[in-house]
Amino acid sequence: EPEVTQTPSHQVTQMGQEVILRCVPISNHLYFYWYRQILGQKVEFLVSFYNNEISEKSEIFDDQFSVERPDGSNFTLKIRSTKLEDSAMYFCATNFLGWNEQYFGPGTRLTVT
Amino acid sequence: ELKVEQNPLFLSMQEGKNYTIYCNYSTTSDRLYWYRQDPGKSLESLFVLLSNGAVKQEGRLMASLDTKARLSTLHITAAVHDLSATYFCAVDRETSGSRLTFGEGTQLTVNP
């Protein structure tokens, strides 16, 4: 069964450093999303992406964040200058039509020290 | 702003018992999703409810949707230990590519 994959599974970085989180969506899916989950809290939407541009972003997704699909397969989330409060699990999700269920990847645990 | 509220947030129950988790939301969406999350793991899709009155069942779990009341329920029948997990409901806004707004989650522990 096709699945969403994410790399790395765990990333430790120092405050102020840049990180790039990678996602490989299910191959025929057209809509891509990033969510984050701070430990013990609910899942929060960051950004959605369709047709090579951002469709929607939340108030969390400020100028420190960016997304792109550089090679037609990977979908990346970049955090330019990480802060302690960016420590969380980051999930990529995808769906085909944009209105049906979203399929979540296994997540990347980001730890900022 | 769309709000999604679940209750209870914590539920400890004995094996063999029945219980219901409630999910209230503030928009007129007809689409509601239930996900399961095991500790340290990703979100597994359980149910997709796409219309008023929708009812879906899988094993010991049954989900329903009442769009007029803006309420969904997840009913657990004869709980077993393997059902221990956190359960999230989520709602979107019925437009293509719209975000999911999640509830706070219900942490379920089923004790032998």
Side-chain angles (χ1 to χ4, degrees):
Chain A
E1 185 176 329
E3 57 184 23
V4 179
T5 60
Q6 290 184 243
T7 55
S9 57
H10 191 190
Q11 172 95 46
V12 181
T13 189
Q14 288 191 325
M15 200 167 49
Q17 295 296 304
E18 175 183 286
V19 293
I20 298 176
L21 310 184
R22 291 183 170 78
C23 167
V24 178
I26 295 172
S27 64
N28 63 341
H29 284 193
L30 303 175
Y31 293 81
F32 315 123
Y33 311 81
W34 283 103
Y35 293 85
R36 78 170 186 191
Q37 185 181 33
I38 295 170
L39 185 64
Q41 298 186 22
K42 68 178 178 181
V43 179
E44 300 174 291
F45 169 78
L46 293 176
V47 65
S48 59
F49 191 85
Y50 170 70
N51 201 25
N52 282 321
E53 58 183 30
I54 290 174
S55 310
E56 186 183 4
K57 59 184 180 180
S58 73
E59 57 281 0
I60 302 169
F61 194 89
D62 61 22
D63 291 344
Q64 293 300 311
F65 292 88
S66 62
V67 288
E68 62 175 0
R69 200 163 180 230
D71 57 10
S73 60
N74 286 284
F75 175 50
T76 63
L77 174 69
K78 182 193 290 187
I79 310 175
R80 285 190 187 80
S81 178
T82 50
K83 308 185 193 76
L84 293 176
E85 53 265 36
D86 293 329
S87 295
M89 189 75 122
Y90 288 80
F91 292 107
C92 172
T94 74
N95 60 6
F96 174 56
L97 293 172
W99 53 261
N100 58 340
E101 66 188 298
Q102 294 178 20
Y103 293 84
F104 283 75
T108 293
R109 180 172 299 284
L110 177 65
T111 303
V112 182
T113 62
Chain B
E1 182 192 341
L2 171 54
K3 289 188 178 159
V4 182
E5 293 181 345
Q6 288 181 236
N7 73 84
L9 299 183
F10 298 94
L11 177 55
S12 180
M13 55 192 298
Q14 283 190 311
E15 281 190 327
K17 299 291 187 185
N18 305 332
Y19 210 84
T20 300
I21 299 169
Y22 297 89
C23 174
N24 287 94
Y25 56 96
S26 63
T27 184
T28 54
S29 175
D30 284 343
R31 299 208 299 253
L32 189 133
Y33 309 82
W34 283 96
Y35 286 88
R36 168 181 171 146
Q37 186 180 41
D38 291 297
K41 302 291 186 182
S42 187
L43 294 142
E44 175 191 355
S45 177
L46 291 175
F47 300 109
V48 179
L49 303 168
L50 298 177
S51 60
N52 185 40
V55 177
K56 291 200 175 176
Q57 182 161 5
E58 179 75 33
R60 300 174 189 275
L61 300 178
M62 183 172 72
S64 66
L65 178 61
D66 180 345
T67 58
K68 292 184 173 52
R70 300 181 189 175
L71 171 69
S72 179
T73 60
L74 181 66
H75 186 72
I76 303 153
T77 302
V80 292
H81 179 68
D82 284 353
L83 290 179
S84 298
T86 299
Y87 293 85
F88 289 95
C89 63
V91 178
D92 67 19
R93 290 182 299 191
E94 296 186 320
T95 55
S96 285
S98 83
R99 66 173 79 180
L100 288 175
T101 300
F102 284 82
E104 307 96 318
T106 296
Q107 188 176 315
L108 171 66
T109 304
V110 181
N111 303 304

